[in-house]
Amino acid sequence: LIVAIDLPKSSFAKNYYYLKVRDRASYAFALVAVAAALELDGGRIRQARVVMGSVAHKPWRSQEAEAALSGRPASEENFRKAAEAALAGAKPLAHNAYKIELGKRAIVRTLMRAARLI
């Protein structure tokens, strides 16, 4: 019987956001989902975590986006560069090419929210 679990304090606890983009609010499944967490030191990103959902057979962590953000200022321009890095090698199927641009925009919006810039 587990009665409690103690988790260490996370450096990402203050700056995170999850975005689920759906065709309609009544639909349970996402077209694209993004979870992002930032460890900020002033206005600079010490560490980042960027994970996408509904773009592969399982949630997909983008270490390319995380590397593009590390050590850089939290800004929309840097978030756009991270989104480009995340989806640089994306190969869409016949009817879902729209997800690449949708994914890029979702990454930027999620990071902007996580950094509390919007």
Side-chain angles (χ1 to χ4, degrees):
L1 178 65
I2 299 172
V3 293
I5 298 175
D6 289 323
L7 299 174
K9 185 177 177 181
S10 170
S11 58
F12 295 112
K14 291 182 182 178
N15 301 94
Y16 63 90
Y17 195 76
Y18 173 75
L19 176 67
K20 183 176 183 178
V21 180
R22 301 180 281 185
D23 241 353
R24 296 190 173 124
S26 62
Y27 290 174
F29 62 90
L31 295 173
V32 172
V34 179
L38 301 171
E39 180 183 347
L40 298 173
D41 184 10
R44 285 208 171 287
I45 300 166
R46 292 185 69 200
Q47 290 186 70
R49 296 292 182 269
V50 178
V51 178
M52 297 187 75
S54 300
V55 296
H57 62 283
K58 63 180 183 176
W60 172 62
R61 182 174 168 192
S62 177
Q63 293 177 335
E64 296 83 3
E66 295 170 6
L69 293 168
S70 183
R72 302 209 183 273
S75 70
E76 187 172 357
E77 178 183 348
N78 286 328
F79 298 157
R80 288 186 195 287
K81 289 177 184 177
E84 290 292 333
L87 293 163
K91 296 178 183 161
L93 299 176
H95 302 289
N96 70 355
Y98 70 93
K99 281 193 172 192
I100 294 175
E101 184 60 29
L102 186 62
K104 289 176 187 178
R105 290 175 187 224
I107 289 170
V108 172
R109 184 172 175 193
T110 303
L111 288 167
M112 292 287 288
R113 295 260 180 169
R116 294 191 167 97
L117 297 178
I118 56 172

